Amino acid sequence: RECLLHGELWSATTLADEAIKHATDHGDQRTLRDLWITKAKLARAEGKDAAVIKSLEGLSAADVEQAMEVAMLMSDAYRRKGQVAQADVVLADTLRALDRSLQTSLAPDAPPRAKIVQARAVLRGRQVLAALSRLRAAPVPSMDWLADLRSAFAKQQELCAALQESALYCTRLRATIAFSRGLAELIDARRQELFRDPANAGVLTLGHLADFATQLSEALVAARPARDALLSNAVPVEGVHGEGAGEVSLPAEVLAAHLDVWTARALALKRQLAAVVRAERLRSMGGEGGPAEAGSMFSLTPNPGGSRSSSPQDKLDEATRLARSVELWLEEVDQSVTAESREKRVAREMTDVESSLGLVANAATVMRSAAPDDVPATRIEAIVELGRLQLETALAGKLPGSRWDPPVNDPYEYQGMEIAERYSNVLCDRNPTAVAAVEAVAEEGQEPKVPEPVSLQDAMDDVAKTTLCEAATAAVAAKRFASAARAFKPLALEAYGLERPDATVEFLLWLQSVEVCARAEEFFAELLPEDHAERVQLQALRELEDCWPQPRLLSAYQATERRLQLESPFFQKLQLSDLPPVSELVLSNVPPGTLIVTLQVHDSFLYMGAVCSPPADPDAEARAAKLQHVATRVAVREMEVHACVQKLSELNLAIEKELISSVEVDAQLSAQYFEILGQVDRHLIEPLVKDLVTNFWPWGLGVEHPNNPKQLLLLPDSFIWPLPLERVPSLLRLFPAPGYGALARDFSLHLTALRARTTPPCPKPASTVLLTDPFNEDALRPGDDPKAETLCALHKRLLDTKVIGSGERSICGKMLTPSSNDVKGMLADSTNFLSLGFGRFFTTMHARHLVAQDLRHVKVFALFMRAQNDCAFRRQTKADSMKSLRQQAMENTYGTPLISAFRGVQTSIQVGAPVPVNLSMRCLETFARSIQAGKPVAKGLEEVLTLMIDDPSKRYARSLEGGVVPGVAPVDPKKGAPAPAESAEPLLPPHTRTAYFVVGLAWQPTEADAPVATKKK
């Protein structure tokens, strides 16, 4: 057991096997049962759920503690295997046995009643947490859903009452904290769904969530008698002498402090939901605004002059803000008039924020005393909550979002005046760069202003920022990304605003990075096999962190961490704390002239943070001084943005169904698609682009200047990721036509930096492999030319002409139907992986296989999929029917590149829409030739998107044998490609051009295949 607690699994297994032999020889059944339970724990630590069940199913008897441990181990094993019903049966059967023991507890030979009550409470708590997990996974809440949640509350109150009656205070506090964590996560998830997809919320309302938050806070307050009783019965630490002996915290004090933190967090959640309910009630009383335009999906009027300009809706909002400011002023006057009388009569009652602030400050101090040299997860939660409460106190009495209000002296106006003055200087033959500086000149006789003393709120504001930064740093170092996101969110959205755009942009980038890491952890927890070496080692680290106050002192922890650092690409991508500050990342990890733009939707606003990497300069300090930051936000309604994403997805599905019987993209569906995309551009992107132009193109878009950005790296969050932002007109206008190669995207700035810094453990020579039509589903249609190429014929031609260098490792469906192991072998042996076929990639290879691969040697992961015909559509539908909704959501255009990125891929090309099969063939061939020439991925995709055709009527005709393209003049190798005819048009229709996008290091040159050594005859 000691070896297991210390993480020494091999030694623990050896000792357990030896002890089982001795216990069997001596007939010690109780010890033998303990040893089999220990063996089951070892099997669980190794991810072997079948071995856990096999070790325990043969036990015919057990005492109370052993029965509790067996039930928990077996239920967890069944749940991880996906056998949820069997896990519930194990818990229910054990509880019935304990109930019978409780009824006979008055017998002389019965076990102590307190042990039975404790075991029942622990198993009941497992049942309640399992119920919360099921409720969170439910797609649509119903009346039964609400009844089940109320039932979970009732069961939790029942077990807490039983524990309080039996004086099991420590167990009660732990059960209350675990229930609070599960319920808070459930409420946060459902609140986000209510804002973004209210049509799928069923009977659930914000009022229900506010009521549940109130009940949660009441349950935590009801646990305070148990907390006080635990502290009064705690035995002081003895034998501690010398300096710092009075600063030792007891385990009971740490547990009580943890309860205080969750009490404050529940009260904050209650206040937040109450404010949201009030805001929604006021909005409903004022009436919902109709569409801003006829047929528009957006109700808010776009700002024609940028995010800081005025619109009719802004004027209405300004009137509302003015009325609110008057109300606040009246309240302030009333408070100031009656403050003196109140102080003389009665003392002012503490508010929830003030009482929570005192609780959490004391809790943080206790936890710091318990582990002064380390920052465990509980202490991180305390510091995060303390910083959030301090910031809430500092912002009390101020209008929400006041720090995002533009200054009275608009810098945009000054910038416009500077531009006008430069043009005037040019006309008058003066120096264009000589611009008068605007300085504040004191009037004659006016005394200089004395700086005002720092107010209490300003001092608290500075303290809150410092506390949140400390919490965020500790959370990132400990890889507690959920806590890090709670720390970065107020820093990014509330603390600075437009007052410090550089800080706002930096914290927006950090917030996005930790949210991406948290999302990746969810994906890998769902898809990575339980017995995978990385998962076992990561779980071992977490268990040691939860069991020990200073786990980094353990040799097992240090060895496991070193092994993960060396062997795990996923663990390497989580090392955000090893990266330099954001400014250095911008200067050193992205090409000069790259404009980085993060787009995130939070709390009914679309936030944009932008920073541009300056041109190359040998003087590092001078180059760093040229960094410019822009932060802004525009009001959005998340349900409208979600409706646009959903409508575009539905149109793509309709186009995909049309391609089953047709080779052309339906013109009517394509027109509807671009109508919605145009609304997204006008309402969301265009106001932000005008701010970008004003700040980063001061001379205008039509003027070439060395300081103008050369390319744009978009960092959209998961909510707006499905939108084809690289093809909206507002962003394409920023760069010279065609501009496709100047735009790319990634998940976060830190992930971009980690891609560039990742090196494969065993470097491999450049090699390109091609997986084509794995299930041999391609066939010529009745209207096709009999001499037209199929996918397999194209595959053979590309291999014969050495466009694909590794022909012996490439696979075509006509040769064989590749298994997942075949695809894994192709990925293991290549640096450039190309795939061409029908349907989605994960119908060819299961996501669980890809998520277990080490892909740090893969430079390019290009999927030219989503072609469709009847056979492929039936196969894809059958494959999807065997997957859960959660797994299907992880295999979309966001999950596929995210999984590949955290497995080590540097750059990937994804397809977000269906593509006609003949166009997919042309796109793959063009891209493969660009990779063969060593061009960057963005340049290769630009060549794909700018393909031309002389005869538009032959756009959907397949290439003939030998690669002859109908409608395109043949190319003479000696003379090169001829100039396109006047009647030439783009080969790809507009809808198909929106399908392809690049994720990752788009502008990094690729490597051509290394020459293959041949044997001499």
Side-chain angles (χ1 to χ4, degrees), residues 922 948-951 960-981:
R922 290 286 308 279
M948 305 296 290
I949 185 168
D950 297 333
D951 186 358
L960 303 180
E961 295 177 356
V964 178
V965 181
V968 177
V971 179
D972 187 350
K974 297 181 179 179
K975 298 182 180 180

Side-chain angles (χ1 to χ4, degrees), residues 566-815:
L566 180 64
E567 300 176 358
S568 171
F570 175 68
F571 190 77
Q572 291 177 0
K573 293 295 187 294
L574 301 180
Q575 305 300 317
L576 303 185
S577 58
D578 296 341
L579 295 175
V582 169
S583 57
E584 293 187 23
L585 291 180
V586 174
L587 293 171
S588 59
N589 289 98
V590 296
T594 301
L595 177 60
I596 303 168
V597 177
T598 175
L599 299 172
Q600 305 173 44
V601 178
H602 298 285
D603 302 331
S604 299
F605 284 97
L606 173 60
Y607 290 86
M608 182 193 76
V611 59
C612 186
S613 176
D617 192 336
D619 190 348
E621 294 183 0
R623 185 167 180 257
K626 296 178 182 178
L627 279 176
Q628 184 180 1
H629 302 79
V630 174
T632 187
R633 68 177 187 176
V634 294
V636 297
R637 290 183 179 170
E638 298 179 36
M639 59 181 176
E640 295 172 352
V641 180
H642 180 271
C644 285
V645 173
Q646 195 72 19
K647 185 62 177 178
L648 292 177
S649 177
E650 293 173 359
L651 290 172
N652 280 332
L653 181 59
I655 292 173
E656 187 174 34
K657 292 181 179 179
E658 288 293 327
L659 289 177
I660 297 175
S661 57
S662 174
V663 296
E664 300 183 9
V665 176
D666 187 271
Q668 184 177 1
L669 295 175
S670 179
Q672 297 178 23
Y673 186 92
F674 278 94
E675 180 182 355
I676 296 175
L677 191 59
Q679 294 179 22
V680 171
D681 188 18
R682 290 192 300 273
H683 289 80
L684 301 182
I685 307 302
E686 191 171 352
L688 303 177
V689 169
K690 291 180 179 179
D691 292 338
L692 294 177
V693 172
T694 303
N695 287 274
F696 297 105
W697 282 268
W699 299 87
L701 292 177
V703 178
E704 295 185 3
H705 194 276
N707 293 333
N708 288 350
K710 302 301 184 294
Q711 54 259 347
L712 172 62
L713 178 62
L714 288 170
L715 305 175
D717 66 358
S718 60
F719 185 49
I720 60 175
W721 181 275
L723 297 174
L725 300 175
E726 295 89 340
R727 307 296 172 254
V728 297
S730 295
L731 291 175
L732 285 174
R733 281 197 298 266
L734 295 177
F735 303 97
Y740 298 125
L743 283 81
R745 67 169 63 185
D746 208 343
F747 297 97
S748 69
L749 175 63
H750 293 83
L751 184 56
T752 302
L754 287 168
R755 288 179 193 264
R757 291 166 176 256
T758 301
T759 56
C762 299
K764 299 182 179 182
S767 59
T768 304
V769 297
L770 175 61
L771 174 65
T772 305
D773 193 13
F775 299 94
N776 196 23
E777 296 165 326
D778 188 27
L780 298 179
R781 297 176 185 266
D784 289 336
D785 191 318
K787 296 183 179 180
E789 277 187 331
T790 61
L791 294 181
C792 291
L794 172 65
H795 179 94
K796 183 177 183 302
R797 178 165 60 85
L798 293 179
L799 265 60
D800 292 341
T801 56
K802 299 302 180 181
V803 175
I804 303 297
S806 300
E808 68 281 358
R809 289 192 290 266
S810 299
I811 297 178
C812 175
K814 191 174 181 179
M815 302 162 47

Side-chain angles (χ1 to χ4, degrees), residues 907-989:
T907 313
S908 62
I909 286 186
Q910 302 294 320
V911 183
V915 180
V917 60
N918 62 311
L919 298 182
S920 184
M921 296 167 66
R922 290 286 308 279
C923 292
L924 173 99
E925 181 178 358
T926 303
F927 182 78
R929 294 184 183 278
S930 70
I931 293 295
Q932 183 191 29
K935 298 179 181 179
V937 174
K939 182 63 177 177
L941 185 60
E942 185 177 60
E943 293 181 0
V944 168
L945 299 178
T946 54
L947 287 171
M948 305 296 290
I949 185 168
D950 297 333
D951 186 358
S953 63
K954 301 292 183 65
R955 172 178 283 117
Y956 295 101
R958 293 191 182 221
S959 301
L960 303 180
E961 295 177 356
V964 178
V965 181
V968 177
V971 179
D972 187 350
K974 297 181 179 179
K975 298 182 180 180
E982 295 181 358
S983 61
E985 293 184 4
L987 171 67
L988 303 185

Side-chain angles (χ1 to χ4, degrees), residues 308 391 394-395 398-399 401-408 411 458 461-462 465 491-505 629-632:
R308 302 185 189 180
L391 187 61
L395 298 178
K398 297 182 180 180
L399 291 174
S402 58
R403 293 184 176 177
W404 287 93
D405 293 336
V408 177
D458 292 339
D461 186 64
D462 294 337
K465 294 173 183 176
L491 287 170
L493 309 185
E494 302 173 17
Y496 295 97
L498 299 181
E499 298 175 0
R500 286 282 308 278
D502 55 339
T504 301
V505 172
H629 302 79
V630 174
T632 187

Side-chain angles (χ1 to χ4, degrees), residues 106-122:
L106 298 178
D109 56 344
R113 181 183 179 89
K115 286 188 175 183
I116 302 176
V117 172
Q118 183 179 20
R120 289 182 70 254
V122 171

Side-chain angles (χ1 to χ4, degrees), residues 394 398 403 453-463:
K398 297 182 180 180
R403 293 184 176 177
V454 179
S455 64
L456 181 60
Q457 277 192 327
D458 292 339
M460 180 63 74
D461 186 64
D462 294 337
V463 171

